[in-house]
Amino acid sequence: MLKNKIAVITGGTRGIGFAIAEAFLKNGAKVAVLGSRQETVDKALEKLAAENPEWEVIGFCPDLTDYNAVEACFNEIKNKFGKIDILVNNAGISAREPIEQYDPLAFKNIMDLNVTAVFNGCKAVVPMMKEIGGGSIINTSSMVSKFGQPSGSGYPASKFAVNGLTQSLARELGKFNIRVNAVAPGVTRTDMVAALPEEMVARVAAGIPMGRVGEPEEVANAFLFLASDMASYVSGTILYVDGATVN
Ligand code: NAD
């Protein structure tokens, strides 16, 4: 589905991002995986090479909240692979603090990574996509971008912002054949979920119409569809992959 395509995946070292990297590589793309630390990037590259030594995958760890660092990194990827067709903005952090305990600096940090870094990635990749006549940007939202959540308000606020960026940029960039969509996962079995108390996960699963949390591979398939030419007329969509939790 992605033969001859070059993809950049932020937060590609574990969880949903790693599953997206695997899905894209299996489908013929060359991939640049971005992580927060060189050590985790190296570990992810080793894991992918062990799965299939033929896969073409490189890794970097720019500060995604710094536009100049993102632009320099994307230029390096373009120099190595020749172009960028697909950008997946997936790196993200969550929060659970009630408002009175919520450190304003933590609120700023969540906005910096979950929103500003998405803006930075989009801004840096758009001229490259225009140059090659189009591309696909896929942002990572969340099911909480529909109704919010009862604590940790910075997280849903950041994902509402991701939806706003996605729908606005889809309208701005449609004429350049650049599609901009978001995937909004429900509760998915990654480190973010593993950090929650087991009873909380069970309570959450019981409230999901499909009766279980999602697997990273199931979420990755939605990214694969939106990245591919099968979604050639899909733009501005927030695709909920949540076992019918909020949809
Ligand atoms: P995870 O914690 O397993 O992985 C997060 C990824 O982001 C890692 O690759 C990490 O290196 C990267 N990252 C974290 N901080 C970073 C930083 N400061 N700079 C650069 N990279 C950084 O998370 P996940 O559960 O796979 O979540 C991935 C995305 O999916 C996030 O945007 C998250 O909000 C969203 N999401 C997850 C769930 C879920 O249940 N897991 C549900 C809805 C949405």
Side-chain angles (χ1 to χ4, degrees), residues 128-170:
M128 298 183 180
M129 289 183 170
K130 277 188 180 175
E131 225 177 80
I132 58 171
S136 173
I137 297 173
I138 312 161
N139 299 324
T140 310
S141 182
S142 164
M143 68 175 183
V144 303
S145 71
K146 204 154 197 178
F147 303 119
Q149 65 185 22
S151 194
S153 50
Y155 182 67
S158 74
K159 296 302 187 179
F160 273 77
V162 166
N163 291 1
L165 261 177
T166 302
Q167 292 181 326
S168 300
L169 290 177

Side-chain angles (χ1 to χ4, degrees), residues 58-101:
I58 54 178
F60 301 92
C61 52
D63 177 357
L64 298 175
T65 66
D66 173 356
Y67 176 72
N68 292 329
V70 172
E71 189 185 44
C73 175
F74 284 17
N75 279 328
E76 220 174 319
I77 295 165
K78 191 183 161 204
N79 287 342
K80 166 81 182 158
F81 283 150
K83 58 174 183 164
I84 298 176
D85 302 282
I86 301 158
L87 169 65
V88 173
N89 286 306
N90 165 77
I93 45 175
S94 69
R96 284 189 287 140
E97 297 83 355
I99 187 79
E100 284 157 290
Q101 277 85 57

Side-chain angles (χ1 to χ4, degrees), residues 11-17 34-36 64 90-93 113 140-143 155 159 185-188 190-193:
T13 57
R14 61 169 196 261
I16 292 170
L34 274 46
S36 50
L64 298 175
N90 165 77
I93 45 175
L113 184 66
T140 310
S141 182
S142 164
M143 68 175 183
Y155 182 67
K159 296 302 187 179
V187 185
T188 311
T190 64
D191 291 357
M192 213 182 243
V193 170

Side-chain angles (χ1 to χ4, degrees), residues 99-143:
I99 187 79
E100 284 157 290
Q101 277 85 57
Y102 211 134
D103 181 347
L105 186 61
F107 186 85
K108 184 186 177 309
N109 288 342
I110 207 165
M111 290 298 161
D112 282 352
L113 184 66
N114 292 13
V115 185
T116 307
V118 175
F119 168 83
N120 288 344
C122 294
K123 181 173 164 60
V125 87
V126 161
M128 298 183 180
M129 289 183 170
K130 277 188 180 175
E131 225 177 80
I132 58 171
S136 173
I137 297 173
I138 312 161
N139 299 324
T140 310
S141 182
S142 164
M143 68 175 183

Side-chain angles (χ1 to χ4, degrees), residues 1-68:
M1 285 169 77
L2 302 182
K3 202 160 185 288
N4 301 323
K5 303 279 190 195
I6 311 298
V8 178
I9 303 167
T10 74
T13 57
R14 61 169 196 261
I16 292 170
F18 187 80
I20 297 168
E22 285 176 311
F24 283 14
L25 287 161
K26 278 181 194 160
N27 280 274
K30 295 179 190 171
V31 171
V33 161
L34 274 46
S36 50
R37 285 181 297 128
Q38 191 60 49
E39 192 191 330
T40 51
V41 168
D42 290 344
K43 234 171 93 188
L45 294 183
E46 267 170 42
K47 235 170 118 181
L48 291 167
E51 261 185 76
N52 187 339
E54 309 265 282
W55 284 345
E56 286 195 60
V57 52
I58 54 178
F60 301 92
C61 52
D63 177 357
L64 298 175
T65 66
D66 173 356
Y67 176 72
N68 292 329

